Amino acid sequence: SILRFYMDYPQSDVDSYVSHTPQFLKEAPYNVQMTDWSSADLNAVGSSPDYSDSNLINALENFVTALADRYDGDNRIGYIQLGLLGFWGEWHSWTGDSSTESWIPDETKMALIDAFDTAFQTTQVQTRYAHWYAFGTNQRQGFGLHDDSFAHSTIDEGVYGDPMSWFFWPQVNSLEATDFWKNGAMGGEVRPELQ
């Protein structure tokens, strides 16, 4: 199996939206602040935690350690996707407003990469994006990638006119990380509209 955990899951139905961030993180002593948002581009609403909050980061690091204590090396698990950050656990928070992309600071991503790298010694892990702290010249053993828009925004073939640097393979190329598969698994999911 493949596991990914998330706290931030945009939904199109305003009336039935429920935050996926655990309630205890929003209460004392953690008091993680939430930002409610809506996006016409995504046709969705959501509520995102403050990804820079040190209490949240500590809680996530503790979660990763506990997860590894229980499941690292469990032969029922093929790999674990880092998840936890951003929409659907995909490490992005784009709503159509470019300012929302800064909601997940690099320091938070680096802390989570370190937590997974330390905790998981047997089971391989994957990130959604080729982050410089884990790939290319900083390639970590057992770290692979998953393309969550496979066959939709994987390879930039010039179809859109402007270069699509956010597509999956251009990001891998930009870090000169095309050999990542020698150290970790490659996976992904076919976009729903292409299934």
Side-chain angles (χ1 to χ4, degrees):
S1 61
I2 302 163
L3 303 178
R4 181 192 328 163
F5 299 91
Y6 60 85
M7 299 183 298
D8 203 344
Y9 199 97
Q11 292 176 251
S12 58
D13 187 353
V14 175
D15 296 326
S16 68
Y17 179 77
V18 177
S19 172
H20 292 83
T21 302
Q23 188 63 35
F24 78 90
L25 290 174
K26 300 181 224 175
E27 299 170 351
Y30 297 101
N31 298 314
V32 173
Q33 297 298 304
M34 303 294 291
T35 299
D36 295 336
W37 57 268
S38 64
S39 169
D41 284 10
L42 292 178
N43 187 32
V45 297
S47 185
S48 300
D50 177 358
Y51 290 108
S52 66
D53 188 300
S54 61
N55 288 324
L56 176 66
I57 296 167
N58 279 339
L60 295 177
E61 290 170 333
N62 290 338
F63 171 77
V64 170
T65 300
L67 184 68
D69 286 348
R70 176 84 166 110
Y71 293 106
D72 188 29
D74 187 314
N75 61 11
R76 297 172 296 175
I77 299 172
Y79 42 84
I80 295 179
Q81 297 176 348
L82 268 61
L84 296 172
L85 304 177
F87 302 162
W88 309 286
E90 292 180 5
W91 287 43
H92 63 81
S93 52
W94 183 84
T95 64
D97 175 354
S98 61
S99 69
T100 62
E101 271 304 293
S102 64
W103 283 355
I104 310 170
D106 224 31
E107 294 77 16
T108 301
K109 294 175 183 178
M110 291 162 60
L112 224 50
I113 288 168
D114 283 340
F116 274 94
D117 194 22
T118 300
F120 285 92
Q121 297 300 302
T122 304
T123 303
Q124 292 188 29
V125 298
Q126 293 180 317
T127 65
R128 167 64 174 94
Y129 295 105
H131 192 276
W132 65 269
Y133 194 60
F135 293 93
T137 57
N138 296 313
Q139 177 66 51
R140 297 189 185 219
Q141 187 62 37
F143 269 65
L145 291 165
H146 61 96
D147 179 359
D148 274 0
S149 289
F150 183 72
H152 181 274
S153 50
T154 299
I155 299 171
D156 180 11
E157 297 175 325
V159 175
Y160 297 98
D162 293 331
M164 304 305 278
S165 60
W166 62 271
F167 276 23
F168 180 78
W169 202 248
Q171 288 189 7
V172 173
N173 273 328
S174 74
L175 289 177
E176 298 178 5
T178 56
D179 287 342
F180 75 87
W181 56 271
K182 295 177 180 178
N183 297 292
M186 171 63 196
E189 64 186 60
V190 176
R191 283 275 293 250
E193 63 266 34
L194 300 176
Q195 294 179 21

